[in-house]
């Protein structure tokens, strides 16, 4: 989780959720969640 500072991660029956302020992403696997966060980070930086 050091790859995404400021994000908190939770796991439940539906999969993994990442939360940062008002932004919330849920995906069935941690790999899928990390992929979405990388895309989100890349689009916000440019």
């Amino acid at each position: 989780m050091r790859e995404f500072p400021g994000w908190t991660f939770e796991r439940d029956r539906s999969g993994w959720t990442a939360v940062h302020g008002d932004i919330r992403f849920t995906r069935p696997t941690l790999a899928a969640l990390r992929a979405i966060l990388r895309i989100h980070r890349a689009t916000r930086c440019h």
Side-chain angles (χ1 to χ4, degrees):
M1 303 312 141
R2 287 173 275 160
E3 184 178 2
F4 305 103
W7 288 86
T8 57
F9 294 84
E10 305 166 0
R11 186 170 190 256
D12 63 18
R13 291 188 311 271
S14 62
W16 286 89
T17 299
V19 180
H20 183 44
D22 293 338
I23 303 169
R24 183 177 200 91
F25 294 111
T26 301
R27 293 296 180 270
T29 65
L30 185 56
L33 182 59
R34 291 175 71 202
I36 285 293
L37 291 176
R38 285 187 192 113
I39 292 167
H40 176 74
R41 182 176 58 196
T43 59
R44 290 187 57 100
C45 291
H46 295 113

